[in-house]
Amino acid sequence: MEPVQVPDADAFRAFQAQCEAECGWQSRYSREGVGVWVQPPPPAGPAVHTVKCCIDIQDVPAETVYDVLHDIEYRRKWDMNVIDTHDIARLATNADVGYYAWKCPKPLKNRDVVTLRSWQVVDKSYMIINFSVKHAQYPPRKDLVRAVSILAGYLVQSTGPNSCTLTYLAQVDPKGKLPKWVVNKASQYLAPRMLKKMHKACLKYPSWKQQNNVNVKPWLYPEQNKLPTMMLSDLALQHAASLENIDESSLSETFRCLQSDRTNPSPGRET
C-alpha cells in the first residue's frame, strides 16, 4: 500500500499558490463576481482537468464561510445532494478521514468518496484540502461509483470585516465510463453553481448555528473533537486506475444530465 501523509505547511503553501496563480490557467467563465479557470492535465498525469472557481462574497466574513465548509451537521441541511456524510476518525489535530456520498441524476449512478481532509489557518487565509484514501471498513459499494479526489480544497481570504473571497480548486475523477472531455466540460458549468449555493447557505448559517450547538466548533477547538483516533498506516492512497469503470448509459444523455442543477461536481466533504 502506498503510504499516506497529513499535508504539511509546504503542502498548504503550494495549494495557496495554485489558488492565487494566474499563469497556466485558461479562463472559462466570468460573471457577477464569479470566475472559472481550467488547467489541462500534464501528458503523463490523470486525464481530468484541474478546475479553479472563485467567488467574491460581499456580505459574509471569512470566518463564517470557513465554519460552513467544516460544519457537517449544517451540510446535511443545505446540500440537497447528500446521501450520507460523516467523519470517520481523527488523524491529527488538523486532519481527519471521512465519507461522503451524493446524488447524481439518471442515468448516472450516485457517487461516493473517502477522503483525508486537513485544514490550516494562516493570518487571514483559511484553507481546507483533501484527497482520496483507502479505508478497510469503507470499500467501494456495488450501488455507488467510487470517485477519486486527486486534490480538492478551498481557500477563504478575508477582504474586510464582512467580506471575503472563496476559491475552490479541484482535480477530481468521477470514474464510471464517462469520457474525460465530458467530465472536464461539465465541471466548468457546475463549479460556479455550487459556490453560489454555498454563498446562500453562508448567509443563513449564523441564525442556524445559534440554535444548534452554538459553541461547538471542533475545527477551531481540537479539544471538542470526540472522533476516535486512527493511525495513518491504516490508510493508503486511492488511485483512480485501481477502481472499476462502471458503464453508464449513452454519452449524449450523460452530458445533458451532467449540466443539470441537481448534479454535485465533486466530493462535498470539505470536501
Side-chain angles (χ1 to χ4, degrees), residues 104-110 249 253-254 256-258 262:
C104 292
K106 294 180 179 178
L108 299 181
K109 293 181 180 295
N110 295 331
S249 190
E253 191 174 9
T254 295
R256 176 180 62 80
C257 290
L258 274 170
R262 294 176 295 157

Side-chain angles (χ1 to χ4, degrees), residues 85-132:
T85 181
H86 59 271
D87 300 329
I88 299 170
R90 176 175 42 174
L91 301 169
T93 56
N94 70 325
D96 60 20
V97 58
Y99 177 83
Y100 179 74
W102 69 96
K103 301 172 187 175
C104 292
K106 294 180 179 178
L108 299 181
K109 293 181 180 295
N110 295 331
R111 259 66 179 174
D112 73 348
V113 68
V114 177
T115 58
L116 185 156
R117 176 181 62 174
S118 186
W119 53 92
Q120 186 178 85
V121 180
V122 179
D123 296 327
K124 290 295 184 177
S125 295
Y126 302 78
M127 287 173 280
I128 305 172
I129 57 179
N130 76 66
F131 54 87
S132 284

Side-chain angles (χ1 to χ4, degrees), residues 147-160:
V148 176
S149 172
I150 300 163
L151 175 66
Y154 293 88
L155 168 65
V156 188
Q157 293 175 298
S158 178
T159 57

Side-chain angles (χ1 to χ4, degrees), residues 27 34 38 72 83 88 108 114 119 173 201 229 233 263:
S27 177
V34 180
V38 298
I72 197 168
I83 297 173
I88 299 170
L108 299 181
V114 177
W119 53 92
D173 189 340
T229 58
S233 57
T263 308

Side-chain angles (χ1 to χ4, degrees), residues 62-105:
E63 295 84 354
T64 298
V65 176
Y66 184 64
D67 288 346
V68 169
L69 291 171
H70 270 289
D71 199 321
I72 197 168
E73 295 301 324
Y74 188 56
R75 183 88 191 194
R76 298 189 184 105
K77 297 293 182 181
W78 69 265
D79 187 351
M80 296 299 101
N81 293 304
V82 170
I83 297 173
D84 181 22
T85 181
H86 59 271
D87 300 329
I88 299 170
R90 176 175 42 174
L91 301 169
T93 56
N94 70 325
D96 60 20
V97 58
Y99 177 83
Y100 179 74
W102 69 96
K103 301 172 187 175
C104 292

Side-chain angles (χ1 to χ4, degrees), residues 13-32:
R13 278 193 290 267
F15 176 78
Q16 182 168 354
Q18 273 191 288
C19 290
E20 296 175 342
E22 297 181 4
C23 183
W25 291 92
Q26 302 170 4
S27 177
R28 288 290 183 267
Y29 179 97
S30 181
R31 188 181 304 167
E32 298 175 347

Side-chain angles (χ1 to χ4, degrees), residues 118-226:
S118 186
W119 53 92
Q120 186 178 85
V121 180
V122 179
D123 296 327
K124 290 295 184 177
S125 295
Y126 302 78
M127 287 173 280
I128 305 172
I129 57 179
N130 76 66
F131 54 87
S132 284
V133 292
K134 295 180 182 179
H135 189 297
Q137 296 179 16
Y138 288 82
R141 291 167 44 174
K142 292 183 179 180
D143 60 327
L144 298 168
V145 175
R146 177 61 51 88
V148 176
S149 172
I150 300 163
L151 175 66
Y154 293 88
L155 168 65
V156 188
Q157 293 175 298
S158 178
T159 57
N162 198 46
S163 63
C164 63
T165 59
L166 169 60
T167 302
Y168 167 68
L169 185 145
Q171 187 178 26
V172 176
D173 189 340
K175 294 301 294 179
K177 288 187 177 178
L178 299 177
K180 292 300 182 283
W181 74 266
V182 173
V183 175
N184 293 332
K185 193 72 174 179
S187 61
Q188 299 169 33
Y189 286 98
L190 298 169
R193 295 177 183 179
M194 181 264 290
L195 289 193
K196 289 177 181 178
K197 185 180 296 185
M198 187 173 293
H199 177 203
K200 292 180 180 178
C202 290
L203 290 170
K204 299 177 182 178
Y205 181 70
S207 60
W208 179 89
K209 189 60 176 175
Q210 283 294 324
Q211 306 299 320
N212 295 270
N213 298 316
V214 62
N215 295 317
V216 177
K217 296 182 179 182
W219 51 92
L220 297 178
Y221 312 112
E223 66 276 9
Q224 295 178 348
N225 195 324
K226 305 303 181 184

Side-chain angles (χ1 to χ4, degrees), residues 215-254:
N215 295 317
V216 177
K217 296 182 179 182
W219 51 92
L220 297 178
Y221 312 112
E223 66 276 9
Q224 295 178 348
N225 195 324
K226 305 303 181 184
L227 289 173
T229 58
M230 73 176 299
M231 302 292 292
L232 278 171
S233 57
D234 292 332
L235 300 172
L237 287 178
Q238 175 69 75
H239 294 289
S242 67
L243 293 169
E244 178 185 3
N245 281 326
I246 298 172
D247 192 18
E248 292 181 285
S249 190
S250 68
L251 171 61
S252 59
E253 191 174 9
T254 295

